[in-house]
Amino acid sequence: MNKRAKQKEETRQKILMAAKESYCNKGFQVATKEIALVANVSHGSIFAHFSTADLLCQEVLTNYFDDMGEALDECIRGGADLKSYLHKWLELIELEEGFYRRISSEGALVSDGCQAKIIGFQAALAIDMESLIKKLDVVSPVKKLPLSFLVNTWLGVIHYYIQNREWFTPVVKNQKEKLVNQYLILIEK
């Protein structure tokens, strides 16, 4: 990679990191001018790399979900059961809880393209959870409930605690074990 191409890629990465930080701190409706300030680049640089603000947001979400997905896939490749998978997921959320909280609270407000990234990740989680729930069912029978209910119950509990974290002790940090165990009690016969 020549020097110019390397600088271009470094600027692109600065913009992506600044956008993620800005979304975390100010929400997904933050102006691209503010993202440029955080990235310490000109406003035009944003559009030299991303033709629209929506495409910038989509790439930030894609990168975030790809990283989470890879870590969760690695967990499964390592032979994880449902309990350790859910623990790993909470550990990943904890690393960037503020950003995940924005996704949870503002996901319905973003563009269709961004929503597709969120839904795609949740669909991948559902596939992982389905296979792990089937494995658990062999060892400890699971209630015969629709998979969508089992997955959405987990998502709902996590999102509720994250959205209302002011009412609780730091949930993801301090309550991982309790949340996972309560969920397993809820789904097992």
Side-chain angles (χ1 to χ4, degrees):
M1 183 181 293
N2 66 33
K3 185 178 179 179
R4 178 67 188 127
K6 185 177 177 184
Q7 287 175 328
K8 188 174 181 178
E9 182 57 28
E10 287 172 359
T11 300
R12 181 180 181 80
Q13 292 307 314
K14 279 174 55 175
I15 292 167
L16 287 166
M17 289 180 359
K20 188 175 184 183
E21 180 183 332
S22 298
Y23 298 149
C24 179
N25 294 331
K26 297 189 176 188
F28 285 101
Q29 303 307 316
V30 67
T32 52
K33 286 181 181 181
E34 292 185 51
I35 294 170
L37 286 172
V38 172
N40 198 28
V41 300
S42 70
H43 189 229
S45 290
I46 300 252
F47 296 102
H49 292 273
F50 304 95
S51 57
T52 67
D54 183 55
L55 290 175
L56 170 59
C57 183
Q58 287 184 45
E59 183 145 346
V60 169
L61 289 170
T62 296
N63 292 344
Y64 177 72
F65 290 135
D66 283 353
D67 290 346
M68 279 189 81
E70 180 55 36
L72 291 170
D73 287 348
E74 187 177 313
C75 184
I76 288 176
R77 285 191 301 270
D81 59 5
L82 181 61
K83 184 175 184 173
S84 57
Y85 178 86
L86 296 177
H87 270 282
K88 181 66 173 178
W89 189 36
L90 290 175
E91 289 171 14
L92 294 168
I93 290 172
E94 183 181 359
L95 293 174
E96 299 183 85
E97 187 175 340
F99 186 66
Y100 190 87
R101 185 180 191 193
R102 286 291 183 183
I103 293 169
S104 171
S105 66
E106 297 182 13
L109 305 175
V110 296
S111 72
D112 290 346
C114 290
Q115 286 182 19
K117 303 294 180 186
I118 297 166
I119 292 166
F121 181 70
Q122 289 178 345
L125 286 173
I127 291 167
D128 288 349
M129 286 182 71
E130 178 180 28
S131 68
L132 294 170
I133 287 169
K134 285 179 181 176
K135 281 174 53 178
L136 174 64
D137 195 34
V138 172
V139 178
S140 178
V142 174
K143 293 176 183 165
K144 299 301 177 206
L145 297 167
L147 175 65
S148 61
F149 180 82
L150 296 173
V151 173
N152 288 329
T153 298
W154 173 252
L155 288 171
V157 167
I158 299 309
H159 290 188
Y160 177 81
Y161 278 98
I162 288 173
Q163 290 307 311
N164 298 294
R165 67 180 174 199
E166 294 82 11
W167 300 346
F168 307 101
T169 60
V171 178
V172 176
K173 184 175 184 177
N174 296 334
Q175 304 292 325
K176 279 188 223 104
E177 188 70 27
K178 183 177 180 181
L179 286 170
V180 170
N181 287 338
Q182 290 301 313
Y183 177 73
L184 293 174
I185 288 169
L186 181 69
I187 69 169
E188 292 175 352
K189 283 186 183 178

